[in-house]
Amino acid sequence: REERGCDPKLEVKMHAPPRCLPLSDEKLALLLEFAPIAMRVVYERSLVDVQRHAKLHGYSLLFAEVNGTATRPAFCLLGCSRRKRVVLAVRGTRDLSDMIIDA
C-alpha cells in the first residue's frame, strides 16, 4: 500500500503492459500444475506422504530426502510418464524452525 498511496488503481497501472506481459494460458497451466508440488508435496515430512501427495497430482516419487539440514535441503524428484516430465522440488523456508536452520 505504500507506493499506491491514495491511488488504488496504481497497482493495475504498474502491472499493465509493457511492464508486465500477459500470462499465456499454457504458462498459467504449467504454474497451476507445479504449484501443489512446490507448496505442499516437497514439505511433507515422510516419504509415504510425499508419495501420496505426488500421486494425487499425477506424479510418481522417484527419489526423496525428507530430512534436510542447513547444508543439504530436503528435496524430492518426481516423474510423470504421461506428461513425459521430471520435476525436482527443493524445500525452502516454510516456518520459523526452517528459518533457524537456514540461519
Side-chain angles (χ1 to χ4, degrees):
R1 226 186 139 103
E2 295 171 13
E3 292 183 27
R4 285 190 291 168
C6 294
D7 185 0
K9 294 189 179 196
L10 182 60
E11 189 170 348
V12 173
K13 294 174 191 173
M14 289 176 60
H15 291 91
R19 190 170 184 176
C20 292
L21 299 175
L23 190 62
S24 70
D25 290 342
E26 294 82 19
K27 286 185 182 180
L28 179 59
L30 275 177
L31 288 173
L32 292 174
E33 178 186 334
F34 295 137
I37 296 169
M39 296 169 57
R40 177 69 186 210
V41 176
V42 74
Y43 286 96
E44 292 298 339
R45 301 285 183 187
S46 75
L47 289 173
V48 172
D49 288 335
V50 171
Q51 187 173 24
R52 181 173 54 87
H53 277 279
K55 196 69 163 172
L56 287 173
H57 300 288
Y59 284 86
S60 298
L61 176 62
L62 303 175
F63 187 81
E65 174 59 59
V66 293
N67 300 315
T69 65
T71 58
R72 187 175 175 164
F75 67 93
C76 63
L77 183 64
L78 309 173
C80 178
S81 57
R82 183 176 58 83
R83 296 180 185 112
K84 299 186 186 300
R85 194 169 288 150
V86 175
V87 177
L88 173 64
V90 180
R91 188 183 298 169
T93 304
R94 180 179 187 179
D95 55 28
L96 187 57
S97 64
D98 284 344
M99 287 178 59
I100 294 168
I101 291 172
D102 291 347

